Amino acid sequence: MSNTPRLTALDALHRSLGATMTDFAGWDMPLRYGSERDEHNAVRTRAGLFDLSHMGEITVTGPEAMKALNYALVGNIATIGPGRARYTMICQEDGGIVDDLIVYRLGETEYMVVANAGNAQIVLDAISERAAGFDAEVRDDRDAYALIAVQGPESPSILKSVTDADLDGLKYYAGLPGTVAGVPALIARTGYTGEDGFELFVAPEHAEQLWRALTEAGQDAGLVPCGLSCRDTLRLEAGMPLYGHELTTALTPFDAGLGRVVKFDKEGDFVGRTALEAAAEKAAANPPRKLVGLIAEGRRVPRAGFSVVAGGEVVGEVTSGAPSPTLGKPIAIAYVDAAHAAPGTAGVGIDIRGTHEAYEVVALPFYKRQK
Protein backbone atom coordinates (compact mmCIF):
# COMPACT_ATOMS: atom_id res chain seq x y z
CA MET A 1 0.00 0.00 0.00
CA SER A 2 1.33 3.40 -0.93
CA ASN A 3 1.36 6.01 1.83
CA THR A 4 1.06 8.83 -0.70
CA PRO A 5 -2.35 10.51 -0.29
CA ARG A 6 -4.72 10.31 -3.25
CA LEU A 7 -5.43 13.55 -5.08
CA THR A 8 -8.85 14.72 -6.25
CA ALA A 9 -9.36 16.10 -9.76
CA LEU A 10 -9.39 19.59 -8.21
CA ASP A 11 -6.06 19.30 -6.38
CA ALA A 12 -4.17 21.85 -8.52
CA LEU A 13 -7.11 24.26 -8.30
CA HIS A 14 -7.18 24.08 -4.47
CA ARG A 15 -3.47 24.84 -4.33
CA SER A 16 -3.86 27.77 -6.72
CA LEU A 17 -6.52 29.14 -4.33
CA GLY A 18 -4.03 28.95 -1.45
CA ALA A 19 -5.81 26.12 0.39
CA THR A 20 -4.25 24.61 3.50
CA MET A 21 -4.18 20.91 2.59
CA THR A 22 -4.40 17.95 4.96
CA ASP A 23 -4.32 14.16 4.71
CA PHE A 24 -7.88 12.98 5.35
CA ALA A 25 -8.72 9.27 5.08
CA GLY A 26 -5.85 8.79 2.63
CA TRP A 27 -6.76 11.79 0.48
CA ASP A 28 -5.07 15.18 0.24
CA MET A 29 -7.98 17.52 0.96
CA PRO A 30 -8.44 21.27 1.54
CA LEU A 31 -8.84 22.02 5.25
CA ARG A 32 -9.50 25.72 4.73
CA TYR A 33 -8.79 28.44 2.16
CA GLY A 34 -8.71 31.38 4.56
CA SER A 35 -10.68 31.72 7.79
CA GLU A 36 -12.75 28.66 8.65
CA ARG A 37 -15.14 30.91 10.61
CA ASP A 38 -15.73 33.04 7.49
CA GLU A 39 -16.26 29.89 5.41
CA HIS A 40 -18.73 28.54 8.00
CA ASN A 41 -20.68 31.81 8.13
CA ALA A 42 -20.77 32.00 4.32
CA VAL A 43 -22.57 28.63 4.20
CA ARG A 44 -25.03 29.69 6.93
CA THR A 45 -25.86 33.04 5.30
CA ARG A 46 -24.91 32.79 1.61
CA ALA A 47 -23.23 29.76 0.00
CA GLY A 48 -20.11 27.62 0.07
CA LEU A 49 -18.45 25.34 -2.48
CA PHE A 50 -16.92 22.04 -1.35
CA ASP A 51 -14.81 19.34 -2.99
CA LEU A 52 -16.09 16.03 -1.58
CA SER A 53 -14.44 13.78 -4.15
CA HIS A 54 -12.96 11.66 -1.34
CA MET A 55 -16.37 10.05 -0.67
CA GLY A 56 -16.76 6.47 -1.88
CA GLU A 57 -19.28 5.64 -4.61
CA ILE A 58 -20.37 2.01 -5.02
CA THR A 59 -22.85 1.10 -7.78
CA VAL A 60 -25.11 -1.94 -7.40
CA THR A 61 -27.03 -3.06 -10.51
CA GLY A 62 -28.98 -6.06 -11.72
CA PRO A 63 -32.35 -7.78 -11.31
CA GLU A 64 -31.73 -8.42 -7.60
CA ALA A 65 -29.83 -5.22 -6.76
CA MET A 66 -32.59 -4.12 -4.36
CA LYS A 67 -32.74 -7.53 -2.64
CA ALA A 68 -28.94 -7.60 -2.29
CA LEU A 69 -28.90 -4.16 -0.66
CA ASN A 70 -31.87 -5.05 1.55
CA TYR A 71 -29.85 -7.98 2.87
CA ALA A 72 -26.59 -6.02 3.16
CA LEU A 73 -27.97 -2.86 4.85
CA VAL A 74 -30.34 -2.19 7.76
CA GLY A 75 -32.77 0.09 5.85
CA ASN A 76 -35.66 -0.87 3.59
CA ILE A 77 -34.26 -0.28 0.12
CA ALA A 78 -37.50 -1.55 -1.48
CA THR A 79 -39.31 1.65 -0.49
CA ILE A 80 -36.84 4.05 -2.17
CA GLY A 81 -38.59 5.47 -5.23
CA PRO A 82 -36.68 6.08 -8.48
CA GLY A 83 -34.77 9.35 -8.20
CA ARG A 84 -34.92 9.35 -4.40
CA ALA A 85 -32.22 8.87 -1.76
CA ARG A 86 -32.19 7.37 1.73
CA TYR A 87 -29.93 7.70 4.76
CA THR A 88 -29.10 4.26 6.14
CA MET A 89 -26.35 2.16 7.72
CA ILE A 90 -24.40 -1.02 7.20
CA CYS A 91 -23.85 -3.05 10.36
CA GLN A 92 -21.80 -6.04 11.46
CA GLU A 93 -23.39 -9.35 12.40
CA ASP A 94 -23.17 -8.19 16.05
CA GLY A 95 -25.05 -4.96 15.22
CA GLY A 96 -22.00 -2.66 15.37
CA ILE A 97 -22.09 0.21 12.85
CA VAL A 98 -19.66 -0.29 9.95
CA ASP A 99 -20.65 3.02 8.30
CA ASP A 100 -23.53 5.38 7.69
CA LEU A 101 -24.47 5.70 4.03
CA ILE A 102 -26.68 7.42 1.51
CA VAL A 103 -28.31 5.16 -1.08
CA TYR A 104 -29.53 6.78 -4.31
CA ARG A 105 -31.91 4.88 -6.58
CA LEU A 106 -30.72 5.89 -10.04
CA GLY A 107 -32.96 3.59 -12.08
CA GLU A 108 -35.27 0.58 -11.97
CA THR A 109 -32.43 -1.78 -11.02
CA GLU A 110 -29.55 0.64 -10.35
CA TYR A 111 -28.46 2.04 -7.00
CA MET A 112 -25.50 4.14 -5.90
CA VAL A 113 -24.25 3.76 -2.34
CA VAL A 114 -22.12 6.63 -1.00
CA ALA A 115 -19.81 5.69 1.86
CA ASN A 116 -17.47 7.76 4.01
CA ALA A 117 -13.95 8.09 2.61
CA GLY A 118 -12.24 6.21 5.43
CA ASN A 119 -14.66 3.28 5.19
CA ALA A 120 -15.15 3.07 1.41
CA GLN A 121 -13.03 -0.06 0.92
CA ILE A 122 -14.53 -1.82 3.98
CA VAL A 123 -18.07 -1.03 2.78
CA LEU A 124 -17.26 -2.12 -0.79
CA ASP A 125 -15.86 -5.43 0.47
CA ALA A 126 -18.83 -6.02 2.79
CA ILE A 127 -21.48 -5.26 0.15
CA SER A 128 -19.63 -7.38 -2.46
CA GLU A 129 -19.50 -10.32 -0.03
CA ARG A 130 -23.14 -9.94 1.05
CA ALA A 131 -24.39 -9.59 -2.54
CA ALA A 132 -22.67 -12.80 -3.65
CA GLY A 133 -25.85 -14.90 -3.44
CA PHE A 134 -27.92 -12.45 -5.49
CA ASP A 135 -28.25 -11.68 -9.20
CA ALA A 136 -26.54 -8.30 -8.78
CA GLU A 137 -23.25 -6.68 -9.70
CA VAL A 138 -21.30 -4.53 -7.26
CA ARG A 139 -18.97 -2.00 -8.88
CA ASP A 140 -16.31 0.21 -7.31
CA ASP A 141 -17.05 3.61 -8.86
CA ARG A 142 -14.76 5.73 -6.68
CA ASP A 143 -12.67 6.73 -9.70
CA ALA A 144 -15.73 7.38 -11.88
CA TYR A 145 -16.90 10.42 -9.93
CA ALA A 146 -15.76 13.75 -8.61
CA LEU A 147 -18.21 15.21 -6.09
CA ILE A 148 -18.79 18.95 -5.72
CA ALA A 149 -21.25 20.37 -3.20
CA VAL A 150 -22.80 23.83 -3.18
CA GLN A 151 -24.47 24.47 0.18
CA GLY A 152 -26.28 27.40 1.78
CA PRO A 153 -29.40 29.55 1.35
CA GLU A 154 -28.17 31.05 -1.94
CA SER A 155 -27.30 27.63 -3.46
CA PRO A 156 -30.62 27.12 -5.34
CA SER A 157 -30.38 30.47 -7.12
CA ILE A 158 -26.69 29.95 -7.94
CA LEU A 159 -27.29 26.48 -9.37
CA LYS A 160 -30.41 27.60 -11.28
CA SER A 161 -28.30 30.10 -13.19
CA VAL A 162 -26.15 27.30 -14.68
CA THR A 163 -28.66 24.48 -15.23
CA ASP A 164 -32.05 23.97 -16.82
CA ALA A 165 -32.81 21.02 -14.52
CA ASP A 166 -36.02 21.38 -12.49
CA LEU A 167 -34.51 22.31 -9.13
CA ASP A 168 -37.84 23.54 -7.72
CA GLY A 169 -39.28 20.06 -8.21
CA LEU A 170 -36.22 18.40 -6.64
CA LYS A 171 -37.11 17.42 -3.08
CA TYR A 172 -34.68 17.00 -0.18
CA TYR A 173 -33.02 13.55 -0.49
CA ALA A 174 -33.77 13.23 -4.19
CA GLY A 175 -31.52 13.24 -7.24
CA LEU A 176 -31.91 13.71 -10.96
CA PRO A 177 -29.61 13.56 -13.97
CA GLY A 178 -29.04 16.92 -15.62
CA THR A 179 -26.53 19.24 -17.19
CA VAL A 180 -24.81 21.85 -15.04
CA ALA A 181 -22.65 24.45 -16.81
CA GLY A 182 -22.53 22.16 -19.86
CA VAL A 183 -21.37 19.19 -17.77
CA PRO A 184 -23.46 16.00 -17.31
CA ALA A 185 -24.15 15.52 -13.60
CA LEU A 186 -26.24 13.67 -11.09
CA ILE A 187 -27.81 16.55 -9.13
CA ALA A 188 -28.76 15.52 -5.58
CA ARG A 189 -30.47 17.70 -2.99
CA THR A 190 -28.42 16.36 -0.11
CA GLY A 191 -25.71 17.73 2.16
CA TYR A 192 -24.00 17.65 5.51
CA THR A 193 -24.28 21.26 6.65
CA GLY A 194 -27.82 21.72 7.96
CA GLU A 195 -28.53 24.09 5.04
CA ASP A 196 -30.33 23.66 1.74
CA GLY A 197 -27.89 22.60 -0.92
CA PHE A 198 -26.86 20.25 -3.67
CA GLU A 199 -24.24 17.59 -4.30
CA LEU A 200 -23.12 17.20 -7.91
CA PHE A 201 -21.63 13.89 -9.06
CA VAL A 202 -19.62 14.40 -12.25
CA ALA A 203 -16.84 12.74 -14.23
CA PRO A 204 -13.45 13.76 -12.78
CA GLU A 205 -12.41 15.36 -16.09
CA HIS A 206 -15.35 17.78 -15.81
CA ALA A 207 -14.75 18.76 -12.18
CA GLU A 208 -12.60 21.83 -12.79
CA GLN A 209 -14.92 23.25 -15.46
CA LEU A 210 -17.88 22.85 -13.09
CA TRP A 211 -16.05 24.35 -10.08
CA ARG A 212 -15.03 27.42 -12.10
CA ALA A 213 -18.54 27.88 -13.52
CA LEU A 214 -20.13 27.67 -10.05
CA THR A 215 -17.52 30.07 -8.64
CA GLU A 216 -18.37 32.58 -11.34
CA ALA A 217 -22.15 32.05 -10.97
CA GLY A 218 -21.91 32.55 -7.21
CA GLN A 219 -19.66 35.60 -7.24
CA ASP A 220 -22.41 38.16 -6.66
CA ALA A 221 -24.18 35.92 -4.13
CA GLY A 222 -21.11 35.72 -1.87
CA LEU A 223 -20.19 32.09 -2.62
CA VAL A 224 -16.78 31.07 -1.22
CA PRO A 225 -14.69 27.88 -1.49
CA CYS A 226 -14.91 25.89 1.76
CA GLY A 227 -12.70 23.24 3.34
CA LEU A 228 -13.28 20.24 5.57
CA SER A 229 -12.76 22.26 8.75
CA CYS A 230 -15.94 24.30 8.38
CA ARG A 231 -17.81 21.25 7.08
CA ASP A 232 -17.14 19.73 10.49
CA THR A 233 -18.44 22.73 12.48
CA LEU A 234 -21.48 22.99 10.19
CA ARG A 235 -22.45 19.32 10.66
CA LEU A 236 -21.76 19.60 14.40
CA GLU A 237 -24.18 22.53 14.77
CA ALA A 238 -26.73 20.56 12.73
CA GLY A 239 -26.32 17.59 15.11
CA MET A 240 -25.24 15.25 12.31
CA PRO A 241 -23.14 12.24 13.34
CA LEU A 242 -19.61 11.65 12.04
CA TYR A 243 -18.27 8.14 11.62
CA GLY A 244 -15.41 7.45 14.03
CA HIS A 245 -16.86 9.96 16.49
CA GLU A 246 -20.60 9.46 17.13
CA LEU A 247 -20.73 6.19 15.17
CA THR A 248 -18.35 3.22 15.59
CA THR A 249 -18.37 -0.57 15.36
CA ALA A 250 -18.65 -0.61 19.19
CA LEU A 251 -22.12 1.00 18.94
CA THR A 252 -25.40 -0.16 17.38
CA PRO A 253 -27.75 2.34 15.70
CA PHE A 254 -29.90 2.10 18.88
CA ASP A 255 -26.96 3.18 21.04
CA ALA A 256 -26.53 6.18 18.74
CA GLY A 257 -30.20 7.18 19.02
CA LEU A 258 -30.63 6.30 15.33
CA GLY A 259 -32.66 3.12 15.73
CA ARG A 260 -35.20 4.59 13.29
CA VAL A 261 -32.90 3.68 10.37
CA VAL A 262 -33.24 -0.05 11.18
CA LYS A 263 -36.30 -1.53 9.44
CA PHE A 264 -37.30 -4.86 11.00
CA ASP A 265 -40.54 -4.93 8.99
CA LYS A 266 -38.80 -5.32 5.62
CA GLU A 267 -38.98 -8.56 3.70
CA GLY A 268 -36.30 -11.16 4.26
CA ASP A 269 -33.30 -11.40 6.54
CA PHE A 270 -30.51 -8.83 6.79
CA VAL A 271 -27.04 -8.87 8.30
CA GLY A 272 -27.20 -8.02 12.01
CA ARG A 273 -30.98 -8.51 12.38
CA THR A 274 -30.86 -10.80 15.45
CA ALA A 275 -28.32 -8.67 17.32
CA LEU A 276 -30.20 -5.48 16.44
CA GLU A 277 -33.53 -6.89 17.66
CA ALA A 278 -31.88 -7.58 21.01
CA ALA A 279 -30.31 -4.09 21.01
CA ALA A 280 -33.71 -2.51 20.30
CA GLU A 281 -35.33 -4.37 23.22
CA LYS A 282 -32.48 -3.44 25.55
CA ALA A 283 -32.64 0.24 24.52
CA ALA A 284 -36.42 0.33 25.07
CA ALA A 285 -36.21 -1.30 28.52
CA ASN A 286 -33.10 0.38 29.82
CA PRO A 287 -31.84 3.25 27.68
CA PRO A 288 -28.05 3.27 27.49
CA ARG A 289 -26.17 6.53 27.25
CA LYS A 290 -27.94 9.10 25.10
CA LEU A 291 -26.46 11.38 22.48
CA VAL A 292 -26.96 14.97 23.59
CA GLY A 293 -25.76 18.47 22.85
CA LEU A 294 -23.69 20.48 25.33
CA ILE A 295 -23.25 24.27 25.19
CA ALA A 296 -20.42 25.91 27.13
CA GLU A 297 -20.99 28.59 29.71
CA GLY A 298 -17.32 29.58 29.41
CA ARG A 299 -14.84 29.81 26.53
CA ARG A 300 -12.86 26.57 26.75
CA VAL A 301 -13.33 24.17 23.84
CA PRO A 302 -13.94 20.46 24.51
CA ARG A 303 -12.53 17.74 22.26
CA ALA A 304 -13.46 14.14 21.46
CA GLY A 305 -12.60 11.81 24.34
CA PHE A 306 -13.02 14.37 27.14
CA SER A 307 -15.13 13.17 30.09
CA VAL A 308 -18.59 14.53 30.87
CA VAL A 309 -18.92 14.88 34.65
CA ALA A 310 -21.65 15.50 37.22
CA GLY A 311 -21.32 15.47 41.02
CA GLY A 312 -17.68 14.42 40.76
CA GLU A 313 -18.58 11.31 38.71
CA VAL A 314 -17.89 10.59 35.05
CA VAL A 315 -21.32 10.33 33.37
CA GLY A 316 -20.38 10.42 29.70
CA GLU A 317 -17.87 11.15 26.97
CA VAL A 318 -17.53 13.87 24.35
CA THR A 319 -17.53 12.54 20.77
CA SER A 320 -17.14 15.89 18.93
CA GLY A 321 -16.43 19.42 20.11
CA ALA A 322 -15.61 22.77 18.53
CA PRO A 323 -16.26 26.50 18.81
CA SER A 324 -19.67 27.21 17.22
CA PRO A 325 -19.49 30.26 14.94
CA THR A 326 -23.31 30.48 14.85
CA LEU A 327 -23.85 30.27 18.62
CA GLY A 328 -20.65 32.14 19.49
CA LYS A 329 -19.82 29.53 22.16
CA PRO A 330 -18.02 26.18 22.31
CA ILE A 331 -20.33 23.19 21.74
CA ALA A 332 -20.02 19.43 22.02
CA ILE A 333 -21.90 16.26 21.16
CA ALA A 334 -21.56 13.59 23.86
CA TYR A 335 -22.88 10.24 25.00
CA VAL A 336 -24.28 10.84 28.48
CA ASP A 337 -25.92 8.47 31.01
CA ALA A 338 -29.71 8.62 30.65
CA ALA A 339 -30.03 10.09 34.18
CA HIS A 340 -28.15 13.24 33.09
CA ALA A 341 -29.33 13.43 29.46
CA ALA A 342 -32.51 15.51 29.79
CA PRO A 343 -32.22 19.05 28.40
CA GLY A 344 -31.57 21.50 31.23
CA THR A 345 -30.13 18.88 33.63
CA ALA A 346 -28.23 20.83 36.30
CA GLY A 347 -24.63 20.33 37.36
CA VAL A 348 -23.27 18.79 34.15
CA GLY A 349 -19.84 19.79 32.92
CA ILE A 350 -16.85 18.66 30.91
CA ASP A 351 -13.48 17.84 32.41
CA ILE A 352 -11.12 20.01 30.35
CA ARG A 353 -7.57 19.23 31.45
CA GLY A 354 -8.52 18.74 35.10
CA THR A 355 -11.03 21.59 35.38
CA HIS A 356 -14.79 21.00 35.55
CA GLU A 357 -16.20 23.45 32.99
CA ALA A 358 -19.96 24.08 33.24
CA TYR A 359 -22.05 23.05 30.21
CA GLU A 360 -25.76 23.18 29.48
CA VAL A 361 -27.41 19.96 28.26
CA VAL A 362 -29.57 20.60 25.17
CA ALA A 363 -31.46 18.50 22.62
CA LEU A 364 -29.82 18.11 19.22
CA PRO A 365 -29.49 19.82 16.79
CA PHE A 366 -27.97 23.07 18.05
CA TYR A 367 -29.00 24.79 14.82
CA LYS A 368 -32.04 24.37 12.59
CA ARG A 369 -32.38 26.41 9.44
CA GLN A 370 -35.46 28.53 8.90
CA LYS A 371 -37.55 26.86 6.19
Side-chain angles (χ1 to χ4, degrees):
M1 274 291 283
S2 156
N3 288 332
T4 313
R6 296 180 67 176
L7 307 180
T8 78
L10 294 164
D11 185 73
L13 189 64
H14 297 317
R15 291 172 197 280
S16 74
L17 291 170
T20 301
M21 305 296 286
T22 187
D23 183 346
F24 183 82
W27 290 81
D28 218 5
M29 298 297 294
L31 192 60
R32 69 182 74 80
Y33 297 84
S35 148
E36 53 207 47
R37 175 181 293 266
D38 290 350
E39 290 171 24
H40 178 110
N41 290 334
V43 176
R44 284 277 176 261
T45 58
R46 303 185 307 276
L49 194 57
F50 296 84
D51 178 8
L52 305 179
S53 303
H54 60 312
M55 301 296 279
E57 294 86 7
I58 300 156
T59 304
V60 183
T61 56
E64 293 190 317
M66 181 272 286
K67 283 185 175 175
L69 285 171
N70 244 2
Y71 174 68
L73 314 178
V74 301
N76 190 352
I77 307 308
T79 57
I80 305 176
R84 298 308 302 260
R86 174 84 42 87
Y87 176 79
T88 186
M89 292 184 185
I90 181 167
C91 290
Q92 298 180 150
E93 197 65 70
D94 68 1
I97 301 165
V98 176
D99 201 12
D100 60 337
L101 312 163
I102 294 180
V103 179
Y104 295 89
R105 186 174 176 189
L106 302 181
E108 198 53 44
T109 58
E110 184 179 5
Y111 296 82
M112 180 169 70
V113 179
V114 180
N116 285 298
N119 293 328
Q121 190 62 50
I122 296 165
V123 173
L124 174 68
D125 292 345
I127 291 177
S128 301
E129 192 181 304
R130 295 173 188 190
F134 297 88
D135 186 2
E137 184 199 339
V138 180
R139 195 170 68 229
D140 178 1
D141 268 347
R142 283 176 287 180
D143 292 337
Y145 292 105
L147 178 55
I148 293 173
V150 54
Q151 299 277 305
E154 295 291 338
S155 57
S157 61
I158 292 168
L159 197 55
K160 270 181 194 170
S161 71
V162 289
T163 184
D164 54 9
D166 175 21
L167 298 186
D168 291 334
L170 188 64
K171 296 185 171 77
Y172 186 51
Y173 266 73
L176 85 173
T179 303
V180 183
V183 167
L186 170 69
I187 305 165
R189 200 164 207 151
T190 45
Y192 194 49
T193 61
E195 296 299 338
D196 192 7
F198 303 87
E199 294 183 319
L200 308 168
F201 296 85
V202 298
E205 61 268 24
H206 294 146
E208 194 170 322
Q209 181 186 332
L210 180 58
W211 180 282
R212 290 187 189 281
L214 288 166
T215 300
E216 197 176 319
Q219 212 169 345
D220 294 342
L223 174 93
V224 300
C226 292
L228 293 181
S229 190
C230 83
R231 190 169 185 248
D232 191 48
T233 51
L234 288 159
R235 70 91 196 166
L236 185 54
E237 289 183 349
M240 294 175 167
L242 174 64
Y243 195 86
H245 289 254
E246 288 71 42
L247 310 174
T248 70
T249 50
L251 298 167
T252 72
F254 295 94
D255 296 325
L258 290 164
R260 65 179 181 275
V261 306
V262 182
K263 303 299 181 192
F264 294 119
D265 58 353
K266 66 177 173 176
E267 228 176 277
D269 195 15
F270 63 92
V271 177
R273 179 192 272 274
T274 307
L276 288 166
E277 282 172 341
E281 273 178 44
K282 189 177 156 198
N286 183 16
R289 287 181 164 181
K290 287 190 169 176
L291 201 58
V292 301
L294 296 167
I295 301 178
E297 290 178 18
R299 309 300 314 162
R300 296 183 75 190
V301 178
R303 296 295 178 201
F306 285 15
S307 295
V308 180
V309 289
E313 300 286 312
V314 173
V315 298
E317 186 178 313
V318 172
T319 51
S320 296
S324 162
T326 306
L327 275 62
K329 296 174 178 180
I331 57 172
I333 296 179
Y335 281 107
V336 174
D337 292 348
H340 295 89
T345 303
V348 174
I350 296 176
D351 183 342
I352 300 183
R353 296 181 188 86
T355 311
H356 175 130
E357 298 283 341
Y359 270 73
E360 181 193 354
V361 180
V362 298
L364 292 170
F366 299 97
Y367 166 86
K368 242 189 180 139
R369 72 181 169 98
Q370 302 302 308
K371 292 284 183 234

